[in-house]
Amino acid sequence: MTACRRPWRVGLLGTGKHGSRYARHIGEDVEGLELVAISRRSALGREQATDWGCRWYGDWREVVADAAVDCVIAALPPTLNRQVAEGCAAAGKPLLLEKPMAVTATDAAAILRLFEERGLGLTIGQTLRYNPVIRTLRRCLDGIGELHGLTANQRLEPNTLTWLDDPDQAGAGVSLHTAVHVFDALRYITGREIVRVFARSRCVHTRRLEDQLLALVELDNGVLGTVDCAKIGPARSGRFEFVGADGQLHGDQVHHTAEWIRGTRREPVDPGPPVQTIVPLLTDWLAFLRGEAPNPVPGREGQAAVQIATACLRSAATACWQPVQP
């Protein structure tokens, strides 16, 4: 292997349920990335490091400081993301930061500024962009003519992780941890910006952080839509519906379906086979690190999703329309 094609050595911060997915895919599915160090506060990290053939640190800062680490993936509670970004920027190491990018719009802007000032790569793990149904909706949207309306939902099972109901670790509830995926997907599919929102939220099973969010959204061309994100029932869905001058386009990224609706006729659209969305993200990230392709999900994309989510939090608190602040 030539010097320019050597593996990029990855430090992974956080090896819980989601972080472990990254570790597995790096080891099994993406040639050119090598996992060399992980951080986890519990001693389980030692066992994981043995299984994955890498070093274990109890503190994420030690991973960032490790001279053998070329780049970093962070899958930690998002209240730590600004500290992680500051550490990676100071060390000059590209960062793939799991969503949500930050818990406030101020932190998101600060993180982005750090990496842009240093010319470092900042990539956001908005993996829903790689879902075949989402990509099908993006590809087919023009087929319904001028867009007049939309609706989207992301409904998941109730939280089982206690930290997701802890403001000091999670920052907020489904507005940040679920809806950012939907907001990013709507921007990706339509190519439009969400400019203001009216939101209501509540706690159904949780005590402190909302597990249900309903929001009216207005796009930059005046189109109105609804977003429904919740972790309150046992059944999953991830449905997107677009209403146009010439018909409707529907899809459900959880159930892997898509269809045209024209009049009363429903015409299935084949989205192709399902994919493990982390794999193509890591593949594209590696190409970006090597200078062979653009950043797959630049920091500004993650910032935009956080800005929309925080506007929803402000709206739910004030019971009025709130602008999405740039």
Side-chain angles (χ1 to χ4, degrees), residues 21 41 73 77 79 94 99 129 141 162 164 167 181 186 198 220 223 235 255 275 304 308 313 321 326:
R21 294 190 185 107
R41 287 179 298 178
I73 297 172
T79 49
K99 63 84 191 168
R129 291 184 175 215
L141 187 64
T162 57
L164 285 171
H181 264 317
L186 288 174
F198 183 89
D220 55 8
V223 167
H255 298 287
V275 302
I308 300 165
L313 291 168
W321 283 92

Side-chain angles (χ1 to χ4, degrees), residues 147-170:
L147 183 64
H148 290 327
L150 58 88
T151 183
N153 74 57
Q154 180 90 314
R155 300 178 184 134
L156 305 172
E157 300 87 352
N159 286 332
T160 58
L161 299 173
T162 57
W163 73 267
L164 285 171
D165 197 27
D166 180 358
D168 291 336
Q169 297 188 72

Side-chain angles (χ1 to χ4, degrees), residues 16 19 28 81 107 140 169 193 223 226 290 302 306 310-311:
E28 298 176 1
N81 282 358
D107 280 357
C140 295
Q169 297 188 72
E193 297 295 338
V223 167
T226 62
R290 287 174 166 170
V306 170
T310 54

Side-chain angles (χ1 to χ4, degrees), residues 104-119:
T104 68
T106 299
D107 280 357
I111 290 170
L112 182 64
R113 186 166 56 250
L114 277 171
F115 279 78
E116 288 187 340
E117 288 175 349
R118 289 165 174 79

